[in-house]
């Protein structure tokens, strides 16, 4: 799993590529915890490049949602890949998260 | 196909690569992804619950596919385990854990667990072959 991070005027965007599973999700969790709880950043996770996500990855997303709510900052999921979409549907979580195609202050090229 | 490894989180990627090599061309893309996910969830349960985190033991996965069904046996030598006692969390309650069981049950039609006298746990999983409209 690779995590790339960039800032827009309003958001910290983490672009996740590869597999989010029991081996890799703790690294994502640690980064999200820092950005949300320590830095109180508005956080967007670009999930378009995720090739596999298991229940440990979903658990991290739910924790992220709760951390964001605790510090009152926005937390959104961007363009979940079919593999992420599948597990969101299996967990009946499609309505739980704020899922968007892109951020309002960022064009599709990410500039 | 038989996969043998120590039950550690890093073995999951190797497992996915191996089943992709064997089964990706034999299933639809959606069915393969669901199979991969369900199998990894069942294997993750062994990694997380069968052994102490600092002393992982063996994990063996056998997969057979024929015209009638896709069958999987997941074996470990960890703590005794009874799948029928695992309920998962109610899906209307959003909590970080407890959806792995739902994922396994959503893919496989028949699930049973047993323990041999020599200390092997076996989780047996079966998915009946679907017709073109997705029904068993």
């Amino acid at each position: 799993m690779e995590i790339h991070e960039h800032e827009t005027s309003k958001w910290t965007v983490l672009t996740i590529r590869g597999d989010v599973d029991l081996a890799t999700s703790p690294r994502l969790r640690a980064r999200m915890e820092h950005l949300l709880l320590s830095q109180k950043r508005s956080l967007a996770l670009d999930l378009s490049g995720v090739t596999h996500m298991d229940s440990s990855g979903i658990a991290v997303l739910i924790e992220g949602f709760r951390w964001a709510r605790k510090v009152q900052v926005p937390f959104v999921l961007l363009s979940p890949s079919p593999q992420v979409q599948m597990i969101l549907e299996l967990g009946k979580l499609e309505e739980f998260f704020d899922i968007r195609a892109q951020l309002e202050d960022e064009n599709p090229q990410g500039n | 196909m038989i996969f043998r490894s120590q039950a550690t989180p890093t073995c999951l990627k190797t497992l996915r690569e191996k089943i992709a090599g064997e089964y990706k061309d034999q299933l639809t893309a959606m069915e393969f992804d669901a199979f991969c996910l369900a199998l990894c969830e069942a294997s993750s349960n062994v990694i997380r619950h069968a052994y102490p985190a600092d002393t992982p033991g063996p994990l063996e996965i056998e997969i057979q596919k024929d015209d009638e069904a896709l069958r999987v046996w997941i074996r470990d030598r960890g703590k005794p385990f009874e799948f029928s006692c695992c309920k998962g969390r109610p899906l209307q309650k959003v909590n970080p854990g407890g959806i792995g069981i739902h994922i396994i049950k959503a893919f496989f039609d028949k699930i049973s667990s047993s323990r041999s006298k020599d200390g092997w746990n076996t989780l047996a999983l079966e998915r009946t072959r679907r017709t073109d409209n997705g029904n068993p």
Side-chain angles (χ1 to χ4, degrees):
Chain A
M1 178 190 71
E2 294 176 17
I3 304 175
H4 298 280
E5 187 171 327
H6 75 273
E7 305 283 333
T8 73
S9 56
K10 285 175 60 178
W11 299 86
T12 296
V13 181
L14 295 183
T15 302
I16 318 298
R17 297 192 198 287
D19 295 356
V20 184
D21 65 9
L22 203 55
T24 59
S25 59
R27 192 154 49 90
L28 176 60
R29 182 184 188 277
R31 191 65 198 144
M32 287 170 54
E33 184 176 25
H34 175 73
L35 289 168
L36 288 167
L37 294 184
S38 300
Q39 299 200 332
K40 298 183 175 53
R41 289 288 302 172
S42 300
L43 184 61
L45 298 185
D46 181 341
L47 301 174
S48 59
V50 173
T51 48
H52 174 86
M53 178 176 281
D54 69 7
S55 61
S56 73
I58 287 294
V60 170
L61 300 187
I62 293 171
E63 282 189 293
F65 174 87
R66 289 183 170 177
W67 291 332
R69 194 168 56 178
K70 182 177 177 183
V71 297
Q72 298 183 308
V73 297
F75 174 67
V76 304
L77 309 183
L78 299 177
S79 303
S81 67
Q83 290 82 2
V84 177
Q85 199 69 45
M86 179 176 67
I87 192 167
L88 289 172
E89 289 171 10
L90 285 167
K92 302 199 184 307
L93 293 165
E94 316 100 295
E95 308 295 322
F96 178 74
F97 292 107
D98 183 351
I99 299 174
R100 304 181 191 178
Q102 67 181 90
L103 296 172
E104 68 275 15
D105 64 339
E106 191 172 60
N107 69 29
Q109 283 73 43
N111 296 322
Chain B
M1 186 203 98
I2 295 181
F3 174 84
R4 291 189 178 92
S5 175
Q6 286 293 101
T8 62
T10 52
C11 82
L12 295 171
K13 186 171 181 62
T14 311
L15 171 63
R16 286 195 295 275
E17 289 169 352
K18 186 154 184 173
I19 63 172
E22 293 276 343
Y23 297 104
K24 196 161 191 173
D25 294 340
Q26 300 183 42
L27 302 168
T28 64
M30 190 178 291
E31 192 172 33
F32 175 78
D33 286 340
F35 173 49
C36 202
L37 179 60
L39 186 55
C40 285
E41 290 296 335
S43 304
S44 292
N45 284 342
V46 173
I47 295 165
R48 294 173 65 187
H49 303 301
Y51 302 107
D54 55 349
T55 52
L59 169 66
E60 287 189 9
I61 299 172
E62 181 178 353
I63 304 172
Q64 293 179 8
K65 182 178 179 296
D66 58 29
D67 290 343
E68 294 179 353
L70 182 61
R71 298 180 182 87
V72 180
W73 294 267
I74 298 176
R75 303 184 183 96
D76 68 79
R77 292 183 63 84
K79 288 188 294 189
F81 166 77
E82 178 53 60
F83 188 86
S84 60
C85 295
C86 301
K87 302 298 182 196
R89 68 161 164 81
L91 288 176
Q92 63 272 25
K93 290 185 178 179
V94 178
N95 286 314
I99 70 166
I101 296 294
H102 296 290
I103 291 167
I104 297 165
K105 287 180 175 176
F107 185 78
F108 290 105
D109 305 308
K110 298 177 185 172
I111 304 171
S112 63
S113 56
S114 61
R115 185 173 175 88
S116 67
K117 288 179 180 173
D118 59 353
W120 283 90
N121 300 307
T122 298
L123 180 66
L125 308 160
E126 181 177 318
R127 177 178 171 90
T128 306
R129 185 182 176 189
R130 265 45 178 174
T131 58
D132 289 342
N133 63 9
N135 294 322

